[in-house]
Amino acid sequence: MKLTKLELINFRNYKKIKINLNKNINIFIGNNGQGKTNILEAIYILGITKSHRYGDQINLVRRGMELTKIKGTLKKNRIISDLEIDISKNSKKISVNKTDVKKISDYITNMNVIMFTPDDLEIVKGSPQVRRNFLNIEISQLDMDYIKCLNEYNKILKMRNEYLKTLYINNLGDRRYLDIITDKLIDRAVYIYKKRFEFIGLINENIGDIYFNVTGNKGLFIKYDCSIGVNEFDEDNIRKLMMSKLNSNYNREIMQGNTLFGPHRDDFSFFMGEDNLRIFSSQGGQRLAVIVVKLAELPIFKKITGFSPILLLDDIFSEIDGKKKNKLVKYINGDIQTIITATDLKNINKKLLDDAKIFEVFSGDIREREAK
């Protein structure tokens, strides 16, 4: 898949811009604070429907304006789709070929994006919630049933937690009703576990080789830390264990008013052999591990969807030495449309520059550099 055109209206520091993108490599250069990352963010929103940054969606709208529009033309083989997301303070409107899409789950598989930003270090060293969000976003792009199931799970979880509080306040509450909610929660949890274990398994098939090819070091893998204590997916075992955990902690859950076990409590960790990178790795090592995971996703997306995703790389080369940089480049091939930001072209590999369309960014203005 290729994003051939991007149009932004009142998005962050951009009043109105239209960009024709190269099907291979696109590089946006400029000083910090000029709006390079905003371009990547807009493309990410066009795929995922929300920003990779935290904060209220009103911050996406250019100061003094009421509405922002992000438009893109997507080409998949011979099929061309016009995507549009309109965002205001209190609403978000999504459309494909001018037809409104009511549910995010019906939209999110249209345009697959994989993005790396310096903030992604939080995937290694941040909270479990950051890592769960990463899993949920990536898997949702591959399986619309996953996001539907996850939304249902979260609604049932909220209902269960509220009823636990009711049971704490009112001892006459009906335990049988809690059991009904619990059964529904476990049904959704099983599917979430299935897809998470599958996805991490596919990542682990790729990251070890990529990391070795880039660094010469062996042993990188991801370990899923499951709150119910399983190391692999087995539907019957997961059902039994989750039910057992919830039943045996009934009184504790009532006291806390929270469901203490399930996918919403899980985590994963990066390991090099027996060493957890969160503890035993430098920031540079953590950064490289996350980049490798993003690269490991590329063949997974291609295998499952039939299309390579769009790769968004924010300032990826500034802190990587020359040898590793050259080895990373071979994973960015002509089949993958890649959008890169950088402060200048000094750190960009010549092979990438030869295939690239280059854009200069200055204070909300974008100009395509003429080919030499």
Side-chain angles (χ1 to χ4, degrees):
M1 67 181 67
K2 314 289 182 183
L3 185 66
T4 60
K5 296 178 182 178
L6 178 70
E7 181 179 356
L8 305 181
I9 299 174
N10 295 327
F11 181 79
R12 295 232 185 240
N13 67 326
Y14 293 103
K15 183 177 181 180
K16 186 173 183 178
I17 61 163
K18 292 182 180 180
I19 306 169
N20 293 318
L21 294 166
N22 188 338
K23 67 179 181 178
N24 298 320
I25 310 296
N26 300 269
I27 302 174
F28 290 81
I29 60 170
N31 294 330
N32 292 328
Q34 302 305 305
K36 303 187 303 296
T37 301
N38 294 346
I39 297 296
L40 300 189
E41 180 183 31
I43 296 170
Y44 186 86
I45 293 172
L46 200 60
I48 307 298
T49 75
K50 61 182 180 180
S51 174
H52 67 287
R53 294 162 165 161
Y54 297 105
D56 196 308
Q57 68 182 32
I58 190 60
N59 294 326
L60 301 173
V61 182
R62 192 168 184 260
R63 187 173 296 176
M65 300 292 109
E66 298 293 325
L67 177 74
T68 184
K69 290 178 179 285
I70 305 170
K71 300 179 181 181
T73 301
L74 185 70
K75 186 175 181 181
K76 289 184 178 180
N77 291 337
R78 296 181 180 179
I79 299 174
I80 296 175
S81 302
D82 290 320
L83 311 180
E84 181 174 339
I85 297 183
D86 300 349
I87 300 171
S88 65
K89 181 178 180 180
N90 299 312
S91 68
K92 183 186 296 181
K93 180 182 174 184
I94 303 167
S95 65
V96 178
N97 295 327
K98 301 189 182 302
T99 300
D100 290 352
V101 180
K102 301 299 182 184
K103 295 182 179 179
I104 291 175
S105 58
D106 294 332
Y107 174 88
I108 197 172
T109 55
N110 275 286
M111 187 176 94
N112 298 144
V113 292
I114 292 174
M115 184 173 186
F116 174 84
T117 79
D119 291 340
D120 282 336
L121 278 174
E122 292 298 301
I123 296 175
V124 176
K125 64 181 185 179
S127 70
Q129 181 65 50
V130 173
R131 287 181 285 279
R132 288 193 297 268
N133 284 344
F134 165 73
L135 281 182
N136 291 337
I137 289 169
E138 305 306 270
I139 299 171
S140 292
Q141 293 191 74
L142 298 170
D143 182 355
M144 65 174 61
D145 289 333
Y146 179 86
I147 191 171
K148 291 176 182 176
C149 184
L150 184 67
N151 288 338
E152 290 173 2
Y153 179 89
N154 287 331
K155 289 177 183 177
I156 297 167
L157 177 66
K158 183 179 179 181
M159 188 188 309
R160 189 176 189 274
N161 289 342
E162 288 173 351
Y163 196 67
L164 286 169
K165 294 180 178 73
T166 299
L167 289 172
Y168 178 74
I169 296 169
N170 181 3
N171 290 327
L172 297 177
D174 189 350
R175 169 72 190 266
R176 290 173 299 176
Y177 180 62
L178 181 70
D179 290 341
I180 292 170
I181 299 173
T182 301
D183 286 340
K184 292 180 181 296
L185 190 77
I186 292 174
D187 283 342
R188 275 68 176 183
V190 167
Y191 190 78
I192 293 168
Y193 277 126
K194 180 176 186 286
K195 291 301 175 178
R196 285 184 181 178
F197 274 107
E198 283 180 358
F199 185 73
I200 287 177
L202 290 170
I203 289 288
N204 280 333
E205 286 179 11
N206 295 326
I207 60 170
D209 287 344
I210 297 174
Y211 194 78
F212 175 73
N213 290 337
V214 172
T215 69
N217 298 320
K218 294 182 178 181
L220 181 66
F221 71 98
I222 292 176
K223 179 184 176 183
Y224 190 59
D225 301 321
C226 181
S227 63
I228 62 172
V230 296
N231 296 317
E232 59 184 6
F233 180 78
D234 180 288
E235 181 173 339
D236 291 338
N237 190 38
I238 284 175
R239 285 185 184 277
K240 290 175 184 176
L241 277 174
M242 191 166 174
M243 181 63 76
S244 174
K245 290 281 189 183
L246 295 176
N247 283 336
S248 61
N249 287 273
Y250 173 71
N251 291 327
R252 186 175 156 216
E253 285 194 326
I254 288 177
M255 290 291 292
Q256 297 189 24
N258 270 305
T259 302
L260 301 178
F261 300 90
H264 65 288
R265 290 280 183 145
D266 292 353
D267 196 359
F268 68 86
S269 301
F270 292 78
F271 277 83
M272 179 65 70
E274 297 182 356
D275 294 337
N276 189 326
L277 296 192
R278 198 179 312 154
I279 302 169
F280 295 103
S281 180
S282 66
Q283 184 164 297
Q286 293 171 348
R287 175 187 173 93
L288 193 57
V290 176
I291 293 171
V292 167
V293 166
K294 304 283 183 169
L295 295 176
E297 290 185 76
L298 297 174
I300 296 171
F301 275 67
K302 178 71 179 288
K303 180 180 179 180
I304 293 174
T305 70
F307 298 96
S308 293
I310 297 168
L311 184 60
L312 310 175
L313 302 175
D314 187 18
D315 198 27
I316 186 176
F317 296 118
S318 63
E319 296 181 25
I320 299 175
D321 67 51
K323 289 184 179 179
K324 291 186 179 72
K325 196 182 302 179
N326 291 333
K327 290 176 179 178
L328 283 171
V329 165
K330 76 174 187 178
Y331 293 98
I332 305 172
N333 58 57
D335 184 46
I336 301 165
Q337 186 182 34
T338 306
I339 295 98
I340 299 169
T341 68
T343 52
D344 53 51
L345 299 178
K346 295 177 185 176
N347 292 315
I348 306 295
N349 182 280
K350 187 178 183 301
K351 182 180 177 182
L352 291 181
L353 291 177
D354 290 341
D355 295 329
K357 181 182 277 192
I358 298 170
F359 300 88
E360 296 175 340
V361 183
F362 179 76
S363 192
D365 183 40
I366 296 178
R367 296 179 183 178
E368 182 180 337
R369 180 178 287 188
E370 293 183 6
K372 293 182 179 180

Short mmCIF file of all heavy atoms in Angstrom, two decimals, residues 132-158:
data_model
loop_
_atom_site.label_atom_id
_atom_site.label_comp_id
_atom_site.label_asym_id
_atom_site.label_seq_id
_atom_site.Cartn_x
_atom_site.Cartn_y
_atom_site.Cartn_z
N ARG A 132 0.88 -2.43 26.72
CA ARG A 132 -0.41 -2.99 26.31
C ARG A 132 -1.01 -2.17 25.17
O ARG A 132 -1.58 -2.74 24.22
CB ARG A 132 -1.38 -3.02 27.50
CG ARG A 132 -1.04 -4.08 28.54
CD ARG A 132 -2.18 -4.29 29.51
NE ARG A 132 -2.49 -3.10 30.30
CZ ARG A 132 -1.95 -2.84 31.48
NH1 ARG A 132 -1.07 -3.68 32.02
NH2 ARG A 132 -2.28 -1.74 32.14
N ASN A 133 -0.90 -0.85 25.24
CA ASN A 133 -1.40 0.00 24.15
C ASN A 133 -0.70 -0.33 22.84
O ASN A 133 -1.33 -0.38 21.77
CB ASN A 133 -1.19 1.48 24.48
CG ASN A 133 -2.19 2.00 25.50
OD1 ASN A 133 -3.22 1.37 25.75
ND2 ASN A 133 -1.89 3.13 26.09
N PHE A 134 0.61 -0.54 22.90
CA PHE A 134 1.37 -0.91 21.70
C PHE A 134 0.80 -2.20 21.10
O PHE A 134 0.52 -2.27 19.89
CB PHE A 134 2.84 -1.09 22.05
CG PHE A 134 3.64 -1.81 20.99
CD1 PHE A 134 3.97 -1.20 19.79
CD2 PHE A 134 4.04 -3.14 21.18
CE1 PHE A 134 4.69 -1.87 18.82
CE2 PHE A 134 4.75 -3.81 20.21
CZ PHE A 134 5.08 -3.18 19.02
N LEU A 135 0.63 -3.23 21.91
CA LEU A 135 0.08 -4.49 21.42
C LEU A 135 -1.30 -4.29 20.82
O LEU A 135 -1.60 -4.79 19.72
CB LEU A 135 -0.01 -5.51 22.56
CG LEU A 135 1.25 -6.26 22.98
CD1 LEU A 135 0.91 -7.26 24.08
CD2 LEU A 135 1.90 -6.98 21.81
N ASN A 136 -2.14 -3.57 21.52
CA ASN A 136 -3.52 -3.41 21.08
C ASN A 136 -3.61 -2.68 19.74
O ASN A 136 -4.39 -3.06 18.86
CB ASN A 136 -4.33 -2.65 22.14
CG ASN A 136 -4.54 -3.47 23.40
OD1 ASN A 136 -4.49 -4.70 23.38
ND2 ASN A 136 -4.78 -2.80 24.51
N ILE A 137 -2.80 -1.64 19.56
CA ILE A 137 -2.83 -0.88 18.31
C ILE A 137 -2.31 -1.72 17.15
O ILE A 137 -2.92 -1.75 16.07
CB ILE A 137 -2.02 0.42 18.45
CG1 ILE A 137 -2.75 1.40 19.38
CG2 ILE A 137 -1.78 1.07 17.09
CD1 ILE A 137 -1.93 2.60 19.79
N GLU A 138 -1.20 -2.40 17.35
CA GLU A 138 -0.62 -3.17 16.25
C GLU A 138 -1.54 -4.33 15.84
O GLU A 138 -1.77 -4.55 14.65
CB GLU A 138 0.76 -3.71 16.65
CG GLU A 138 1.76 -2.66 17.13
CD GLU A 138 1.95 -1.52 16.17
OE1 GLU A 138 2.83 -1.62 15.30
OE2 GLU A 138 1.23 -0.50 16.27
N ILE A 139 -2.06 -5.05 16.81
CA ILE A 139 -2.92 -6.20 16.49
C ILE A 139 -4.23 -5.74 15.87
O ILE A 139 -4.76 -6.37 14.95
CB ILE A 139 -3.18 -7.07 17.74
CG1 ILE A 139 -1.86 -7.61 18.29
CG2 ILE A 139 -4.10 -8.23 17.40
CD1 ILE A 139 -1.98 -8.31 19.64
N SER A 140 -4.76 -4.60 16.32
CA SER A 140 -6.02 -4.09 15.79
C SER A 140 -5.91 -3.76 14.31
O SER A 140 -6.89 -3.87 13.55
CB SER A 140 -6.46 -2.84 16.56
OG SER A 140 -6.81 -3.16 17.88
N GLN A 141 -4.72 -3.35 13.86
CA GLN A 141 -4.52 -3.06 12.44
C GLN A 141 -4.60 -4.33 11.59
O GLN A 141 -4.91 -4.26 10.39
CB GLN A 141 -3.16 -2.41 12.21
CG GLN A 141 -3.01 -1.02 12.79
CD GLN A 141 -1.76 -0.35 12.28
OE1 GLN A 141 -1.67 0.07 11.14
NE2 GLN A 141 -0.75 -0.28 13.13
N LEU A 142 -4.33 -5.45 12.21
CA LEU A 142 -4.29 -6.73 11.49
C LEU A 142 -5.59 -7.50 11.60
O LEU A 142 -5.85 -8.40 10.80
CB LEU A 142 -3.14 -7.60 12.03
CG LEU A 142 -1.74 -7.03 11.85
CD1 LEU A 142 -0.73 -7.85 12.64
CD2 LEU A 142 -1.36 -6.99 10.37
N ASP A 143 -6.40 -7.19 12.59
CA ASP A 143 -7.58 -8.00 12.88
C ASP A 143 -8.67 -7.10 13.46
O ASP A 143 -8.61 -6.72 14.62
CB ASP A 143 -7.20 -9.10 13.88
CG ASP A 143 -8.35 -10.03 14.22
OD1 ASP A 143 -9.48 -9.78 13.77
OD2 ASP A 143 -8.12 -11.01 14.96
N MET A 144 -9.68 -6.77 12.64
CA MET A 144 -10.75 -5.89 13.13
C MET A 144 -11.57 -6.56 14.23
O MET A 144 -12.18 -5.88 15.06
CB MET A 144 -11.64 -5.43 11.98
CG MET A 144 -12.42 -6.52 11.30
SD MET A 144 -13.59 -5.83 10.07
CE MET A 144 -12.48 -5.01 8.94
N ASP A 145 -11.59 -7.89 14.27
CA ASP A 145 -12.31 -8.58 15.35
C ASP A 145 -11.62 -8.36 16.69
O ASP A 145 -12.27 -8.39 17.74
CB ASP A 145 -12.41 -10.08 15.07
CG ASP A 145 -13.35 -10.39 13.92
OD1 ASP A 145 -14.29 -9.59 13.70
OD2 ASP A 145 -13.18 -11.42 13.25
N TYR A 146 -10.31 -8.14 16.67
CA TYR A 146 -9.58 -7.93 17.91
C TYR A 146 -10.03 -6.64 18.59
O TYR A 146 -10.31 -6.62 19.79
CB TYR A 146 -8.07 -7.88 17.66
CG TYR A 146 -7.25 -7.65 18.91
CD1 TYR A 146 -6.87 -8.72 19.71
CD2 TYR A 146 -6.85 -6.37 19.29
CE1 TYR A 146 -6.12 -8.51 20.87
CE2 TYR A 146 -6.11 -6.15 20.44
CZ TYR A 146 -5.74 -7.23 21.23
OH TYR A 146 -5.00 -7.03 22.37
N ILE A 147 -10.11 -5.55 17.83
CA ILE A 147 -10.50 -4.28 18.45
C ILE A 147 -11.96 -4.32 18.91
O ILE A 147 -12.31 -3.76 19.94
CB ILE A 147 -10.23 -3.08 17.50
CG1 ILE A 147 -10.40 -1.77 18.26
CG2 ILE A 147 -11.10 -3.12 16.27
CD1 ILE A 147 -9.97 -0.55 17.49
N LYS A 148 -12.80 -5.03 18.16
CA LYS A 148 -14.20 -5.19 18.60
C LYS A 148 -14.24 -5.96 19.92
O LYS A 148 -14.95 -5.58 20.85
CB LYS A 148 -15.00 -5.93 17.54
CG LYS A 148 -15.24 -5.13 16.27
CD LYS A 148 -15.97 -5.97 15.22
CE LYS A 148 -16.17 -5.18 13.93
NZ LYS A 148 -16.80 -5.99 12.87
N CYS A 149 -13.48 -7.03 19.99
CA CYS A 149 -13.43 -7.85 21.21
C CYS A 149 -12.84 -7.06 22.37
O CYS A 149 -13.33 -7.13 23.51
CB CYS A 149 -12.63 -9.11 20.94
SG CYS A 149 -12.59 -10.27 22.32
N LEU A 150 -11.79 -6.29 22.10
CA LEU A 150 -11.15 -5.49 23.14
C LEU A 150 -12.12 -4.44 23.68
O LEU A 150 -12.18 -4.21 24.89
CB LEU A 150 -9.90 -4.83 22.57
CG LEU A 150 -9.06 -4.01 23.56
CD1 LEU A 150 -8.43 -4.92 24.60
CD2 LEU A 150 -7.98 -3.22 22.81
N ASN A 151 -12.87 -3.79 22.79
CA ASN A 151 -13.85 -2.80 23.24
C ASN A 151 -14.93 -3.44 24.11
O ASN A 151 -15.34 -2.88 25.14
CB ASN A 151 -14.49 -2.11 22.03
CG ASN A 151 -13.54 -1.16 21.32
OD1 ASN A 151 -12.57 -0.70 21.90
ND2 ASN A 151 -13.80 -0.89 20.06
N GLU A 152 -15.38 -4.63 23.70
CA GLU A 152 -16.37 -5.34 24.50
C GLU A 152 -15.80 -5.73 25.86
O GLU A 152 -16.46 -5.62 26.89
CB GLU A 152 -16.85 -6.59 23.76
CG GLU A 152 -17.71 -6.28 22.53
CD GLU A 152 -18.02 -7.53 21.73
OE1 GLU A 152 -17.60 -8.64 22.15
OE2 GLU A 152 -18.68 -7.41 20.68
N TYR A 153 -14.55 -6.20 25.85
CA TYR A 153 -13.89 -6.57 27.10
C TYR A 153 -13.83 -5.39 28.06
O TYR A 153 -14.14 -5.52 29.25
CB TYR A 153 -12.48 -7.09 26.80
CG TYR A 153 -11.69 -7.48 28.03
CD1 TYR A 153 -11.76 -8.78 28.54
CD2 TYR A 153 -10.87 -6.57 28.69
CE1 TYR A 153 -11.05 -9.15 29.67
CE2 TYR A 153 -10.16 -6.92 29.83
CZ TYR A 153 -10.24 -8.22 30.30
OH TYR A 153 -9.54 -8.58 31.43
N ASN A 154 -13.44 -4.23 27.55
CA ASN A 154 -13.31 -3.05 28.41
C ASN A 154 -14.65 -2.59 28.97
O ASN A 154 -14.73 -2.15 30.11
CB ASN A 154 -12.63 -1.92 27.63
CG ASN A 154 -11.15 -2.17 27.42
OD1 ASN A 154 -10.51 -2.83 28.23
ND2 ASN A 154 -10.61 -1.66 26.33
N LYS A 155 -15.72 -2.72 28.17
CA LYS A 155 -17.05 -2.37 28.67
C LYS A 155 -17.50 -3.34 29.77
O LYS A 155 -18.05 -2.92 30.80
CB LYS A 155 -18.06 -2.39 27.51
CG LYS A 155 -17.90 -1.25 26.53
CD LYS A 155 -18.88 -1.38 25.37
CE LYS A 155 -18.65 -0.26 24.35
NZ LYS A 155 -19.55 -0.42 23.17
N ILE A 156 -17.27 -4.63 29.55
CA ILE A 156 -17.65 -5.63 30.55
C ILE A 156 -16.79 -5.47 31.80
O ILE A 156 -17.28 -5.62 32.93
CB ILE A 156 -17.51 -7.06 29.96
CG1 ILE A 156 -18.49 -7.24 28.80
CG2 ILE A 156 -17.78 -8.12 31.04
CD1 ILE A 156 -18.22 -8.48 27.96
N LEU A 157 -15.51 -5.17 31.61
CA LEU A 157 -14.60 -4.95 32.75
C LEU A 157 -15.10 -3.79 33.61
O LEU A 157 -15.12 -3.89 34.85
CB LEU A 157 -13.20 -4.66 32.23
CG LEU A 157 -12.13 -4.34 33.28
CD1 LEU A 157 -11.86 -5.56 34.16
CD2 LEU A 157 -10.84 -3.89 32.60
N LYS A 158 -15.49 -2.70 32.96
CA LYS A 158 -16.02 -1.55 33.71
C LYS A 158 -17.27 -1.94 34.48
O LYS A 158 -17.44 -1.58 35.66
CB LYS A 158 -16.32 -0.41 32.74
CG LYS A 158 -16.81 0.85 33.42
CD LYS A 158 -17.06 1.96 32.39
CE LYS A 158 -17.59 3.21 33.09
NZ LYS A 158 -17.87 4.31 32.10
#
